Amino acid sequence: MGVCSNYRAGIILVVVGAVFLVLGVVFIPVGNVLIHEQIKKNVLLKNGTMAYDEWVEPTVPVYMQFYMFHVGNPHEVLNGSKPYLIQKGPYTYREVRKKFDIEHNDNGTVTYKQNKTYHFQKNMSVTWDNETVTTLNIPLLALVESLKLESKGVTKAVSLILELFGEELFITRPVVDIVFGYHDAALGAAKLLLPDWFYSDYVGVFAGKNHTDDGVYTVFTGETDIQILGEIDKYNGSSYLPFWGDKYANMINGTDGTISPPFVNTTVHKPMFSSDICRSIYGVYQGEVYTKQGIKLYRFTGPKEELASFHENPDNAGFCYPNTSNCLGSGLLNLANCTLFDFFHVPVVVSFPHFYLADKKYLDAVLNLHPNAEEHRTDIDIEPYTGQVLMVFKRLQINLFVEPVNYISQTKNVTPVYFPILWLNESASVDDATAQKLQTMLFKPLLLVQAGQYVSIGVGGLLLLMGIIVICVRKKRRAGQLSISSDAPECQPTNDEDQTSRLLPAIND
């Protein structure tokens, strides 16, 4: 009986194992479909979804860190020496975002504005933001830039006014003034003398960007096509920008960098639009990283080609201002055409911090900068299933172009240079509460489904293997029995089995 029972057990193990194995394999595509549908429902920019409230008013803390470049040798620079720059910072602000004027449209888009407010964080800063630093006089440079095309008489008159008000090329002011703005005495006088030219006396790198929005966005909600979730349809009512020299440069591509379509494809670039630099950019996949809570993310990084000169990357020809004869070298982007103070173009040029990835000539023109990828590149880290941006480090340096201008005494001896003012790091990292919410609503069900698939396949494979082993052992024993007695019956019932078989008819009767 034992040999025959083992044989039957082997057959049962094989059948049951095969069933488990088939179910596990079949459930992989079925489970993936169920998971994808669940994710799609949760990430739509639609009232009632998991992602919507977080999109309207993000709870993940966003911080803006400013690193100032204090000029250590201003008098020498006025006489033609290279500027010696001393980095100070960070001066950290909590960035609070909230979308308003939200209007859902019939074509699967939503229109909104987003207010940003900055709150100083002493515990994340080197000191208070009223610490003073010496840097370039921004309104003076804006005015000087506009005088390049004016007559000799106008230039001399303006120069005299600047001298009467004691305006110098360098100023020493608190960090908070340089960043968020201050009332300039010379500009105040200019408002009175030339009201048609000057209507503001408030100036700063981020002047007008606190407690305010950066424009009107219309983005896709994902309801018509999940793969365009969050992508910008229009910015300020237009599908193109008005700043650059060709259609390609003026395109508005991708999302705003805070959201991404789900099911991330690492083989394609990740486009996004940044109003801070008036253009679209893109990220290139670099590899996997993890949050402190252990959530796996895909990292996309700003590549060198993004700010390469048009000689290295012809696609960038449209970003030359005002035309290709005025193109900058690699690593710099001229924002003068989209950076206005009153009616004057401010000679703002952006780069990565410390001229990271820029032509060496820009780094060599100043002293004491030390670029490195870890501190100065831009990274965006995206959860691969949901497309949620859970970590981001957007780093940018603000520079002003300085050169001698005829009849302007403040600049007459300076050596032309792209002069760093500050660099910023706008960063966010998912907090524990948001991570737990994602784990509970998305990642744990995902893991359970995947675990079920693998357990079914594993158990099925194990049972199948055990069944095959039992059958093989049975056949080996059978072969041994046949070699001893060739006429032995394959399966003889025991006495107990024989008696039982005789009793069955009586029981049935």
Side-chain angles (χ1 to χ4, degrees):
M1 175 184 178
V3 174
C4 293
S5 298
N6 288 343
Y7 184 76
R8 294 188 187 97
I11 295 296
I12 292 172
L13 287 172
V14 169
V15 172
V16 174
V19 170
F20 270 90
L21 193 62
V22 169
L23 287 175
V25 172
V26 170
F27 194 64
I28 289 177
V30 175
N32 287 342
V33 170
L34 294 175
I35 292 169
H36 281 214
E37 290 303 314
Q38 180 69 16
I39 289 173
K40 287 179 184 179
K41 288 194 299 183
N42 277 288
V43 300
L44 294 176
L45 298 182
K46 181 181 178 181
N47 201 0
T49 66
M50 187 194 76
Y52 186 74
D53 289 342
E54 183 67 22
W55 174 76
V56 172
E57 192 169 0
T59 58
V60 175
V62 180
Y63 296 100
M64 182 72 84
Q65 295 179 305
F66 294 99
Y67 294 83
M68 312 301 296
F69 289 115
H70 172 74
V71 183
N73 60 339
H75 298 295
E76 290 81 358
V77 174
L78 291 173
N79 291 316
S81 296
K82 294 181 180 180
Y84 183 82
L85 304 174
I86 303 169
Q87 178 175 294
K88 293 188 175 185
Y91 303 91
T92 305
Y93 296 80
R94 173 73 185 268
E95 181 181 307
V96 178
R97 303 178 177 188
K98 185 174 182 180
K99 294 177 176 64
F100 65 101
D101 289 349
I102 300 172
E103 182 179 348
H104 289 269
N105 307 310
D106 294 334
N107 62 345
T109 64
V110 57
T111 301
Y112 65 91
K113 296 177 183 177
Q114 180 172 247
N115 184 75
K116 292 183 181 180
T117 306
Y118 298 93
H119 305 276
F120 183 66
Q121 307 291 300
K122 172 63 172 60
N123 64 316
M124 300 177 67
S125 305
V126 291
T127 186
W128 292 101
D129 59 355
N130 60 1
E131 182 182 37
T132 59
V133 296
T134 298
T135 188
L136 288 175
N137 187 336
I138 297 175
L140 182 144
L141 284 175
L143 186 57
V144 167
E145 178 72 12
S146 68
L147 292 174
K148 290 179 181 179
L149 302 178
E150 296 296 334
S151 66
K152 175 181 176 181
V154 171
T155 303
K156 283 188 171 183
V158 172
S159 178
L160 180 61
I161 293 173
L162 292 174
E163 290 180 5
L164 287 174
F165 279 92
E167 292 291 321
E168 300 290 344
L169 184 60
F170 294 101
I171 58 172
T172 300
R173 296 197 68 94
V175 169
V176 65
D177 289 358
I178 296 168
V179 173
F180 290 110
Y182 60 94
H183 293 281
D184 183 81
L187 289 175
K191 279 176 61 180
L192 296 175
L193 297 172
L194 299 168
D196 292 336
W197 280 31
F198 299 92
Y199 56 85
S200 174
D201 65 350
Y202 199 74
V203 62
V205 176
F206 263 54
K209 294 187 177 182
N210 197 3
H211 304 287
T212 176
D213 64 89
D214 63 339
V216 182
Y217 289 82
T218 299
V219 306
F220 290 99
T221 63
E223 294 172 278
T224 57
D225 183 355
I226 197 66
Q227 288 306 314
I228 59 174
L229 170 72
E231 292 193 2
I232 299 170
D233 180 38
K234 290 181 172 61
Y235 174 67
N236 286 333
S238 175
S239 298
Y240 290 90
L241 300 168
F243 307 118
W244 306 110
D246 60 31
K247 186 176 181 180
Y248 175 83
N250 280 314
M251 291 176 67
I252 300 173
N253 299 322
T255 71
D256 66 353
T258 65
I259 192 171
S260 174
F263 320 121
V264 178
N265 184 353
T266 61
T267 63
V268 298
H269 293 168
K270 183 64 64 175
M272 58 201 76
F273 169 71
S274 173
S275 63
D276 293 332
I277 59 173
C278 311
R279 63 164 288 185
S280 297
I281 53 178
Y282 62 90
V284 176
Y285 177 69
Q286 291 296 304
E288 295 178 359
V289 295
Y290 289 83
T291 69
K292 65 179 182 179
Q293 298 87 3
I295 300 173
K296 182 177 75 173
L297 309 177
Y298 289 164
R299 169 158 289 180
F300 290 82
T301 298
K304 182 177 181 179
E305 293 77 14
E306 204 165 53
L307 293 180
S309 71
F310 93 101
H311 298 291
E312 295 181 26
N313 182 3
D315 289 341
N316 287 341
F319 296 112
C320 298
Y321 173 78
N323 51 56
T324 53
S325 63
N326 300 91
C327 283
L328 302 180
S330 289
L332 271 63
L333 176 66
N334 190 342
L335 295 187
N337 200 35
C338 71
T339 309
L340 293 174
F341 178 76
D342 292 347
F343 296 104
F344 306 110
H345 292 279
V346 182
V348 173
V349 175
V350 296
S351 65
F352 287 117
H354 287 239
F355 292 124
Y356 170 65
L357 296 182
D359 285 349
K360 190 173 182 295
K361 62 183 179 182
Y362 302 121
L363 183 62
D364 290 342
V366 298
L367 301 174
N368 203 33
L369 295 190
H370 309 285
N372 68 83
E374 189 66 27
E375 294 183 40
H376 301 141
R377 71 187 178 201
T378 288
D379 297 321
I380 295 181
D381 303 330
I382 305 172
E383 199 286 312
Y385 286 98
T386 63
Q388 298 292 303
V389 178
L390 299 187
M391 294 197 302
V392 62
F393 307 91
K394 187 176 78 174
R395 294 161 175 141
L396 185 71
Q397 181 169 297
I398 306 297
N399 313 281
L400 292 177
F401 181 56
V402 182
E403 66 176 341
V405 176
N406 290 334
Y407 312 114
I408 301 296
S409 62
Q410 290 86 347
T411 64
K412 65 180 180 180
N413 293 323
V414 299
T415 300
V417 62
Y418 290 93
F419 205 116
I421 304 297
L422 60 84
W423 70 272
L424 59 87
N425 176 26
E426 188 177 23
S427 64
S429 185
V430 63
D431 60 311
D432 291 340
T434 304
Q436 182 61 43
K437 185 177 179 180
L438 287 170
Q439 294 276 16
T440 302
M441 297 188 69
L442 289 176
F443 302 144
K444 285 184 179 178
L446 174 63
L447 288 174
L448 287 173
V449 171
Q450 290 177 334
Q453 295 169 356
Y454 296 136
V455 167
S456 181
I457 293 173
V459 170
L462 180 62
L463 293 176
L464 188 63
L465 179 62
M466 290 173 62
I468 292 172
I469 291 173
V470 169
I471 291 172
C472 289
V473 170
R474 160 72 181 113
K475 286 187 175 181
K476 186 175 181 180
R477 288 180 178 177
R478 174 62 181 159
Q481 291 174 354
L482 288 175
S483 66
I484 296 173
S485 177
S486 59
D487 60 346
E490 180 179 347
C491 200
Q492 293 287 346
T494 64
N495 290 335
D496 291 339
E497 288 175 318
D498 187 49
Q499 293 173 3
T500 302
S501 63
R502 291 194 188 102
L503 289 172
L504 285 176
I507 295 172
N508 291 333
D509 292 341

